[in-house]
Amino acid sequence: MNRDSPNILVTGTPGCGKSSHSKKLKELLSYELYSISEIAKEKGFIEKYDEVLDTSVVDEDKLLDFMEVELVKGGNIIDWHVCDIFPERLIDLVVVLTTDNSILYDRLKARGYKKNKIDENIDAEIMQVILQEAKESYEEGIVVVLESNTEEDMESNVGRIGEWVENWKKDHPEGVSGEKVEKEVESEDEGEEGEEEEEEEEEEEEEDDEEDYDEDEEQESEEDEEEEVEESDEEDSAPPSKKQKK
Ligand SMILES: Nc1ncnc2c1ncn2[C@@H]1O[C@H](COP(=O)(O)OP(=O)(O)OP(=O)(O)O)[C@@H](O)[C@H]1O
Ligand SMILES: [Mg+2]
C-alpha cells in the first residue's frame, strides 16, 4: 500500500513546543496526531516507572508495532522528543524545534520541573542532542530545524510545514511505499545471528579506521556499549544521546 500523504515527526527538547505545533498542524491538515507520551500511557506501552529519573519508560517494541500499522497509511503527525526509533521508510519530514535557553528555562520552570530536570533539558538543548539524533537517523534532506520562541514563530512554522506538505504531494503523485524492503525482512528473520554479524562487521570497520587502537580502549568501548543498551528513553527529559554518550 502506498501512502499518498506524508508522515511528519515533530520533535525537540521538552518544552520547545512540539504538542502546541502538532495540534495546530492537525487543525490545518486534518491528519491523525499521535502524542506518544499520552498514547503510551493510554495503550499500556509503559515498560516501567523509573524512580530515579522520575519518568515512565516506554516499551518501544510495543509502540512501534502499533505505530507501524498507522504510519503505513500516511497522513500522521507524531509528537515526541524521541526521534530515532521510527523506521526511515515511514517518515517523510522531521521537524526539530529549537528554543532559546532563557525562554525554555522559563517554560520548564512554569511547569514546576525540579532544578536538575530543568538543567538536564537546557543542556540537551544547548548540545543539540535531538537534532544530532535526527541527523543520524534520517537523511539530512528531510530534517528541518525551526525556531519556536514566539507565537509568531509557531504560526509561521505551521504555515511552512503546510506548504511543504503541498509540495510533497506534487512531488509524489503516486504516493510512497512504506512496505519493508526484502533486506529488512531478511535481517529480521536472521534475528540475533544477523545482529551479531552486523556487529562483527562494524567492529572490523572500526579496526580498519583506527590504526593505533589498543586493547584497553577496545575493552572500554565494549563496556560503554553494554551500558548504552541498558539505558532507556525518558518521557519528559532529554539526556545526552545514546549515540553521543561516551
Ligand atoms: N513558539 C511558542 N511561542 C510561545 N509559547 C510557546 C511556543 N511553543 C511552546 N510554547 C508554550 O510552551 C509550553 C510548552 O509547550 P508544549 O507543551 O507544546 O511543549 P512540548 O515540546 O510538547 O513539551 P513536552 O516534550 O514536555 O511534551 C506551553 O505552555 C506552550 O504554550
Ligand atoms: Mg508535549
Side-chain angles (χ1 to χ4, degrees), residues 12 35 38 44 50 52 76 99 117 120 180 185 189 207 210:
S35 289
E38 288 166 26
D50 189 321
V52 181
N76 298 293
T99 302
K117 209 162 193 171
E120 211 173 72
K180 280 184 190 173
V185 176
D189 290 345
E207 277 167 28
E210 296 190 32

Side-chain angles (χ1 to χ4, degrees), residues 115-218:
K115 187 179 178 300
N116 66 333
K117 209 162 193 171
I118 296 180
D119 290 347
E120 211 173 72
N121 284 316
I122 298 287
D123 285 351
E125 181 68 1
I126 292 169
M127 290 163 68
Q128 302 190 316
V129 169
I130 292 177
L131 176 59
Q132 292 307 325
E133 284 178 354
K135 284 182 176 173
E136 283 168 21
S137 308
Y138 305 94
E139 253 181 56
E140 287 220 14
I142 72 157
V143 178
V144 180
V145 182
L146 296 176
E147 269 188 14
S148 171
N149 293 322
T150 62
E151 292 288 339
E152 291 75 44
D153 287 342
M154 189 143 54
E155 292 302 325
S156 124
N157 293 340
V158 170
R160 277 180 68 182
I161 298 168
E163 281 168 24
W164 178 91
V165 167
E166 291 306 313
N167 288 331
W168 186 94
K169 287 190 171 178
K170 279 186 209 143
D171 292 344
H172 303 89
E174 309 290 325
V176 166
S177 169
E179 302 298 330
K180 280 184 190 173
V181 288
E182 241 168 66
K183 201 175 156 219
E184 207 173 333
V185 176
E186 272 170 25
S187 81
E188 270 187 16
D189 290 345
E190 282 166 17
E192 284 183 7
E193 264 178 48
E195 280 168 29
E196 272 167 27
E197 269 171 35
E198 260 176 47
E199 272 169 30
E200 274 168 28
E201 274 169 33
E202 274 172 28
E203 270 169 30
E204 274 168 29
E205 273 171 32
E206 275 170 26
E207 277 167 28
D208 289 347
D209 289 348
E210 296 190 32
E211 285 169 20
D212 303 326
Y213 197 61
D214 68 35
E215 278 186 6
D216 286 350
E217 277 181 51
E218 192 164 3

Side-chain angles (χ1 to χ4, degrees), residues 13-20 107 111 113 148-151 154:
T13 308
C16 65
K18 298 180 292 296
S19 300
S20 312
R107 287 185 196 163
R111 281 180 171 183
Y113 275 18
S148 171
N149 293 322
T150 62
E151 292 288 339
M154 189 143 54

